[in-house]
Amino acid sequence: MNVNSIVVLKLLLLSFWPCLVYSEGEHGRLLVNMTMVHNASALGAYCLDGSLPAYHLHRGYGAGANNWLLQFEGGGWCNDIKSCLDRAKSRRGSTRYMNKWEVFSGILSNNASFNPDFYNWNRVKIRYCDGASFAGDAEFYNGVKFSITCTHISFLQGQRIWQAIILDLLPKGLGHAKKALLSGCSAGGLATFLHCDNFTNYLPKNASVKCLSDAGFFLDERDLSLNHTIRSFYEDLITLQGVEPNLNQNCTSTLYYPHLCLFPQYALPFIRTPFFILNSAYDVYQFHHILVPPSSDPRGHWNHCRNNVTACNASQLSILQGFRKDMLQALRVFYYYSRGGGMYINSCFTHCQSETQNTWFAVDSPLIHKKTIAQTVGDWYFSRNVSKEIDSAYPCDTTCHNMI
């Protein structure tokens, strides 16, 4: 068989076998095809541009055949008409623009050497196309539908997308899960806080269900100019996308400002399901968008520090250390009093560490007390060991090979 014939055969296989995966590269690269949720329209669950939502499923086997890991995709938010219109024309707001094959690595890997505790589970990547961490439910803005060319963008329906995907997965085995882990990265990590208990409600009462947020502990912090930049952003997001009814009701009924319940630090005490928080104390997204957003540094005094932490001066490092201190303070009650909780707060200048192999579990992965992220998460999920790790402050950790 010549080379051209092999290529044609491979393309035919990929076309007719929607669940086919294949490996390439030195250690193998798992590619998983997209599954469209065709019944989503019955719930009115659409991406921003009106396309159907989707996920990627790689089946488990052996001892993991009845275990499920669901991973929310991240990718920021849209909090006004313009930003939602822009998202609708990209992979962040439409499955039409998404790659139909997704690489599964880190916590999604099927290789026992790279993902020792979850490699043989059913693993699902939930694609993100709503711009509100799967929590919005609005069709109108000020009573008027708004559109982009011929495509309506009145679909601010992340909550329905979440429900449609779960309902699609339940008859595929999720409804009989013995073990389950809901996880997510960045905006997907925030979605984990928002949907954790709801996820538990869908599953059998005797199932072991837990949740993990990776880089989703967005802090309610003032910026350099002492403005509540992120709080204002979230308030606009909640108002535009109709998020408030989908926030934790025990939280919203307790706080004078219910919108604050979008922040994990306020919602966390009300989550009943065992929870694990994976975050950098110097999360670069929060560094660049919450602590030092462009609006707070119009003259660019922080540009060098933002691009390379070793270029930060003493005053800038002091501010960064203060951010770390505030994050640990916000987690203090959880650290000391949560019985089923786990934690891995390291000091690497990074964002999202569970889906990337070199940070999740590799020879040169970040370590706290000689434990990788994967080891700590596994110890927590399976109750093998104490699983609350907090790193020393920068620059003490020499295992952070991915510094900015």
Side-chain angles (χ1 to χ4, degrees):
M1 185 178 290
N2 59 36
V3 174
N4 290 334
S5 298
I6 293 173
V7 171
V8 171
L9 178 60
K10 188 173 184 179
L11 290 174
L12 286 172
L13 288 172
L14 295 182
S15 299
F16 289 105
W17 292 0
C19 294
L20 181 71
V21 297
Y22 66 92
S23 297
E24 60 184 37
E26 181 181 355
H27 298 296
R29 192 165 65 118
L30 179 65
L31 293 173
V32 182
N33 201 8
M34 177 182 283
T35 299
M36 305 300 297
V37 185
H38 294 289
N39 292 331
S41 56
L43 292 176
Y46 301 100
C47 298
L48 287 173
D49 72 331
S51 58
L52 290 174
Y55 60 84
H56 303 255
L57 166 63
H58 188 249
R59 287 288 187 178
Y61 62 92
N66 294 315
N67 302 334
W68 287 76
L69 189 155
L70 276 62
Q71 178 86 353
F72 283 118
E73 183 179 27
W77 311 272
C78 61
N79 71 328
D80 56 29
I81 295 175
K82 182 183 183 304
S83 60
C84 287
L85 287 170
D86 290 340
R87 285 180 76 97
K89 296 179 285 185
S90 74
R91 67 184 180 89
R92 296 301 186 194
S94 172
T95 50
R96 295 186 179 100
Y97 300 106
M98 293 178 181
N99 291 331
K100 300 306 183 282
W101 293 82
E102 188 73 2
V103 177
F104 274 28
S105 63
I107 196 171
L108 295 173
S109 173
N110 67 332
N111 189 322
S113 299
F114 302 146
N115 188 25
D117 286 306
F118 308 108
Y119 72 95
N120 61 351
W121 286 31
N122 297 284
R123 285 152 292 110
V124 180
K125 180 72 171 287
I126 302 176
R127 300 309 297 267
Y128 183 34
C129 65
D130 66 278
S133 290
F134 300 87
D137 193 0
E139 286 191 59
F140 300 89
Y141 182 76
N142 288 339
V144 180
K145 283 189 176 183
F146 47 99
S147 62
I148 172 170
T149 62
C150 297
T151 304
H152 289 288
I153 187 177
S154 53
F155 305 106
L156 304 171
Q157 299 164 348
Q159 180 72 20
R160 300 187 196 186
I161 291 173
W162 157 247
Q163 292 170 348
I165 289 176
I166 289 295
L167 292 177
D168 201 63
L169 290 171
L170 287 174
K172 294 182 178 180
L174 179 62
H176 302 289
K178 293 183 178 179
K179 294 182 174 64
L181 177 62
L182 180 67
S183 60
C185 158
S186 190
L190 179 60
T192 307
F193 285 101
L194 300 177
H195 296 296
C196 182
D197 284 340
N198 180 247
F199 179 60
T200 300
N201 292 337
Y202 279 109
L203 301 184
K205 292 183 178 180
N206 61 348
S208 173
V209 186
K210 301 185 179 183
C211 302
L212 181 155
S213 170
D214 176 8
F217 196 80
F218 296 99
L219 208 59
D220 180 22
E221 186 88 346
R222 292 179 184 267
D223 65 22
L224 284 180
S225 301
L226 301 182
N227 293 319
H228 280 294
T229 298
I230 187 62
R231 186 185 290 189
S232 297
F233 181 95
Y234 276 170
E235 286 175 356
D236 292 341
L237 166 70
I238 290 168
T239 301
L240 176 72
Q241 299 228 32
V243 172
E244 186 172 326
N246 299 318
L247 298 177
N248 188 298
Q249 296 301 294
N250 291 324
C251 178
T252 57
S253 64
T254 301
L255 297 186
Y256 184 77
Y257 297 107
H259 287 184
L260 291 178
C261 292
L262 187 61
F263 286 99
Q265 67 201 80
Y266 304 117
L268 184 59
F270 300 97
I271 296 175
R272 303 183 306 274
T273 307
F275 212 100
F276 190 100
I277 298 172
L278 165 60
N279 230 96
S280 166
Y282 307 96
D283 183 282
V284 292
Y285 180 90
Q286 299 194 56
F287 175 12
H288 295 170
H289 298 276
I290 295 179
L291 183 63
V292 193
S295 61
S296 69
D297 185 33
R299 297 185 179 181
H301 295 307
W302 279 74
N303 286 351
H304 293 299
C305 178
R306 284 160 58 99
N307 294 328
N308 184 355
V309 66
T310 62
C312 298
N313 60 39
S315 174
Q316 291 168 333
L317 285 176
S318 178
I319 291 171
L320 289 172
Q321 301 296 17
F323 184 84
R324 173 182 179 271
K325 181 179 178 181
D326 290 345
M327 179 175 288
L328 295 182
Q329 180 61 31
L331 287 167
R332 185 174 182 276
V333 172
F334 180 78
Y335 178 81
Y336 284 107
Y337 299 107
S338 64
R339 293 183 179 180
M343 182 186 296
Y344 196 98
I345 309 297
N346 60 12
S347 295
C348 305
F349 282 76
T350 188
H351 182 67
C352 287
Q353 302 177 81
S354 62
E355 293 178 354
T356 306
Q357 196 60 58
N358 65 343
T359 50
W360 173 249
F361 191 70
V363 174
D364 59 347
S365 291
L367 302 173
I368 303 180
H369 302 137
K370 299 182 179 181
K371 292 180 65 176
T372 65
I373 294 169
Q375 290 170 323
T376 308
V377 171
D379 284 348
W380 162 76
Y381 187 91
F382 294 100
S383 302
R384 293 189 298 240
N385 209 337
V386 176
S387 305
K388 292 180 180 177
E389 303 289 350
I390 298 178
D391 207 352
S392 300
Y394 171 82
C396 294
D397 189 346
T398 59
T399 69
C400 292
H401 54 81
N402 53 347
M403 287 288 190
I404 59 171

